[in-house]
Amino acid sequence: MLNIVIFGAPGSGKGTQSENIVKKYGINHISTGDVLRAEIKNGTALGKTAKGYIDQGQLIPDELMIDILASVFDSFKESKGVIFDGFPRTIAQAEALKNMLTERGQGVSVMLDLEVPEDELMTRLIKRGKDSGRADDNETTIKKRLAVYHSQTSPLIDWYKKEGQYHRINGFGELDRIFADICTAIASVKK
Ligand code: AMP
């Protein structure tokens, strides 16, 4: 199976490139942000809990996210692989993902880090907030999310380097060039 972690700061293009990857490789997609937004829309208890954190630009507690991830993962039948988009965001989540996959006789094939300059992230997210109306894409919350990324999520870069799964992708520029670089990285690990 082809299990991909797509990684990067908010606004780095994880969702956009995940769609391209899903189309080309026919794997399943888990976006934890999308899962949480669907729960909020449906007014579930989980959605109510998640909303408080999302509106503050904070992360949902690890135990909750790890349970959600495992249940979505196990809902896929005869899957060719999964792209994990927006998960893991902490070291605890990365360890939990590794354990979950190991228990199922699998592992992460590659981690793709979409690197984008900070001022470009800000521009993209403000534009997305205007276009899509996503509540957490406002300047105050974006700044908090970027700070959370730097303090809690970016340590995963070294973690995945140690696992030997890290691939840096220049996420700034033409979408087609970025996707071509992603395909080259996937080809280098695909059996
Ligand atoms: P995203 O759509 O990936 O940018 O996620 C939007 C928000 O959902 C984040 O700012 C967090 O509040 C929450 N979230 C999404 N994925 C996770 C995760 N893996 N761990 C904790 N919180 C998450």
Side-chain angles (χ1 to χ4, degrees):
M1 285 178 64
L2 178 65
N3 293 319
I4 300 172
V5 170
I6 192 152
F7 184 85
S12 57
K14 299 187 294 291
T16 306
Q17 294 298 342
S18 291
E19 282 177 26
N20 292 335
I21 295 170
V22 166
K23 270 190 214 135
K24 176 161 173 157
Y25 297 95
I27 59 178
N28 294 107
H29 179 205
I30 305 181
S31 155
T32 45
D34 285 352
V35 171
L36 296 170
R37 282 185 287 276
E39 295 283 336
I40 294 173
K41 205 168 152 224
N42 294 331
T44 65
L46 170 59
K48 291 196 177 92
T49 307
K51 189 172 178 347
Y53 291 98
I54 293 178
D55 288 350
Q56 292 302 312
Q58 299 298 324
L59 297 181
I60 276 76
D62 285 334
E63 314 79 64
L64 198 55
M65 283 315 306
I66 290 163
D67 286 351
I68 296 170
L69 186 90
S71 74
V72 178
F73 184 86
D74 288 334
S75 72
F76 298 138
K77 302 281 172 251
E78 295 179 20
S79 175
K80 286 196 213 167
V82 173
I83 178 153
F84 298 94
D85 164 6
F87 189 103
R89 266 177 152 96
T90 62
I91 302 269
Q93 291 182 14
E95 283 167 351
L97 176 63
K98 185 179 176 180
N99 292 339
M100 184 194 81
L101 291 174
T102 306
E103 279 167 14
R104 290 158 179 76
Q106 297 181 46
V108 168
S109 317
V110 65
M111 184 270 215
L112 305 170
D113 178 18
L114 293 175
E115 222 178 62
V116 174
E118 192 96 357
D119 53 345
E120 169 71 8
L121 294 172
M122 199 72 197
T123 310
R124 287 185 191 179
L125 290 167
I126 287 173
K127 182 173 183 304
R128 188 172 73 184
K130 287 196 184 121
D131 294 347
S132 75
R134 222 178 102 167
D136 57 347
D137 284 340
N138 64 78
E139 197 166 339
T140 313
T141 314
I142 292 167
K143 282 190 177 145
K144 285 190 198 155
R145 285 157 63 209
L146 290 173
V148 165
Y149 170 78
H150 289 298
S151 61
Q152 300 188 53
T153 306
S154 66
L156 288 175
I157 293 172
D158 280 342
W159 195 89
Y160 277 104
K161 280 183 182 165
K162 284 193 195 116
E163 294 286 305
Q165 292 159 338
Y166 179 85
H167 278 255
R168 179 189 172 276
I169 305 286
N170 176 3
F172 183 43
E174 284 291 315
L175 288 179
D176 289 350
R177 194 273 305 149
I178 298 168
F179 185 54
D181 289 354
I182 286 175
C183 294
T184 306
I186 294 174
S188 74
V189 298
K190 212 163 173 259
K191 286 161 220 127

